[in-house]
Structures are given as structure tokens and as C-alpha cells.
Amino acid sequence: MNRTQKGAMMTLSAFLLNAAFLGYLFIRIFVLKSLPRVSDMAPLLLASAAMATWWVALSRKRQSPAEPEADERDKAILKNAVLASFISILLFLAATVLVLALVLGEAGSVPVYVLTFILFGVCLAAGLVYSVAILIQCEHENNDGR
Amino acid sequence: MGDNNISNRIRRLRFDHNEMTQQELADRVGVTRQTILAIEAGKYAPSLPLAFRIARAFNTSVEDVFEYPDGETSPDARS
């Protein structure tokens, strides 16, 4: 696994953990109608510690002492991933607006704090698509090369 | 990236040069092993500078490493 793939794995794990945490907050606050408890943070802290340990182990092991940060193919992969991420942002925003319009109707409105969740959702979607796009491109070419 | 019709003899040349590994070639030309793997499989077309560096790693010319099909002058000529 080269540095680009490792970076994508780390980014993906961080965004998945964040998505899980935000999902927990949303359910806790809006579905269960209660505030989160400190004791509920224990699994999150454990998961964060495990992830940090995995990151350290992943970053220490290198394919070769001469391995570059990113070569020309990695740059092309990153460029495609940025494009995919940008498109995902547009699609996510369009889908969010459409769903809200269909659910609430023409005269409907949402509280201002919903925009915060939409913003977090956009960031999560962009990060997830960016990481997955890198891993798919790398794995696709590696599989074909075997 | 993606499929291209430039073939290469990198795998053959590696074996002819003391069974050079993909990692050793990658270190010599300054790319990752995955890039060498993708080039050998024909899934990635290297840039001109990289193609020249690969040829120099084998002490040969670019034409001896890479081959473009005879008679093709444009991508639309493929049939």
C-alpha cells in the first residue's frame, strides 16, 4: 500500500467515525429527545484510540525508503478524487433541498440549526467520496495488473 | 489513466537485468511500485520524463521499452 492509499484509508476511517458520532448525536437529541451522557462517550473514545493506534502502525510501515510522497499517477488519482468529491457535494445539496421541499412543501420552513447538520453532511459526503474514490482507483488498477 | 494501446517490455527487461523487482525499478525511477505495476499491465501510460527514466534504468532507448502500434496516427484509427 502506498502513501496515497494509506492517506485515503486514514481519511475514510476518520470520516466514518465522525459520521457514527454525528448519527448518535442526532438520534439522541432528536429521536430520543434527551441530551447525550458522558458515559456514552466511552465507546467513542475507545474507537478513537484504536484508530489512532492503527494510524501510527500504518504510517510507520513503508514500502521502500525511497518511496515518494506522491508520484504522477497518484496526482492523477487525487485529481479524479477531488472531482468526484465536488460532484458529490452538488448531488448531496440537490438531494437535501429536494427532500426538504417535498416533505415540507412550498410554505414549509426548517429551523436554522438544520443548516448546521446539512453543512456537516456535505463535509462528510465529500470526505467519504474523496477517500473511496482514491481507494477504488488504486485497487482497480492493482487488480488488473496482477 | 485507463486503458491505452501502448505496449511495453518492462517485465521482460526487469528479468533480464538481474531479475530486478518492481520495487527496485520504482525506487530507481522515483515512483511507487503500484505505478510500475499499472504501467506493466498497460493500465497507465507514463509521462515522457518517466518513460525516459525507465529506459535509462535499463540502459536502453524508449523505443526498446515502449511500443506504439504500427500505422496508428490517431486514437480514432483503432478498429
Side-chain angles (χ1 to χ4, degrees):
Chain A
M1 205 184 290
N2 61 17
R3 289 193 191 188
T4 302
Q5 285 174 290
K6 286 178 191 173
M9 295 280 282
M10 291 179 187
T11 307
L12 182 63
S13 62
F15 275 99
L16 284 175
L17 191 60
N18 274 300
F21 178 60
L22 285 174
Y24 159 75
L25 279 181
F26 183 84
I27 292 171
R28 189 84 192 175
I29 295 173
F30 295 103
V31 177
L32 299 177
K33 306 285 185 193
S34 65
L35 291 175
R37 296 175 295 189
V38 175
S39 57
D40 293 340
M41 297 293 116
L44 176 66
L45 289 173
L46 279 172
S48 300
M51 189 175 67
T53 306
W54 177 58
W55 281 9
V56 170
L58 200 62
S59 58
R60 286 178 72 132
K61 188 183 172 191
R62 295 175 66 179
Q63 287 184 134
S64 160
E67 183 185 358
E69 193 73 37
D71 60 17
E72 58 180 53
R73 175 173 158 271
D74 289 335
K75 287 173 187 166
I77 287 173
L78 292 172
K79 196 174 161 185
N80 289 337
V82 167
L83 181 63
S85 179
F86 176 70
I87 292 173
S88 75
I89 291 174
L90 295 178
L91 290 175
F92 185 89
L93 283 173
T96 303
V97 168
L98 188 64
V99 166
L100 285 174
L102 289 173
V103 169
L104 299 175
E106 285 185 8
S109 62
V110 292
V112 174
Y113 59 77
V114 172
L115 295 177
T116 308
F117 280 101
I118 293 175
L119 179 63
F120 275 119
V122 165
C123 294
L124 278 174
L128 286 171
V129 168
Y130 177 77
S131 308
V132 170
I134 290 172
L135 293 172
I136 286 176
Q137 289 179 87
C138 288
E139 195 58 31
H140 169 72
E141 291 193 4
N142 284 347
N143 279 336
D144 288 337
R146 288 191 195 129
Chain B
M1 296 200 299
D3 290 340
N4 63 85
N5 53 347
I6 298 176
S7 59
N8 64 80
R9 300 173 55 235
I10 294 177
R11 184 182 288 271
R12 180 75 251 171
L13 287 166
R14 282 197 296 110
F15 285 130
D16 291 343
H17 284 71
N18 296 323
E19 297 184 354
M20 188 191 301
T21 63
Q22 289 178 335
Q23 187 62 63
E24 286 170 351
L25 177 59
D27 290 343
R28 280 201 195 183
V29 301
V31 296
T32 61
R33 185 182 63 81
Q34 286 76 10
T35 298
I36 297 298
L37 197 156
I39 293 173
E40 284 188 6
K43 292 299 175 184
Y44 176 71
S47 64
L48 270 178
L50 178 56
F52 275 102
R53 291 203 301 271
I54 291 173
R56 281 197 186 156
F58 296 124
N59 292 318
T60 188
S61 65
V62 174
E63 287 81 10
D64 288 337
V65 181
F66 298 97
E67 186 178 356
Y68 197 71
D70 289 334
E72 251 187 65
T73 55
S74 73
D76 295 333
R78 280 181 251 157
S79 60

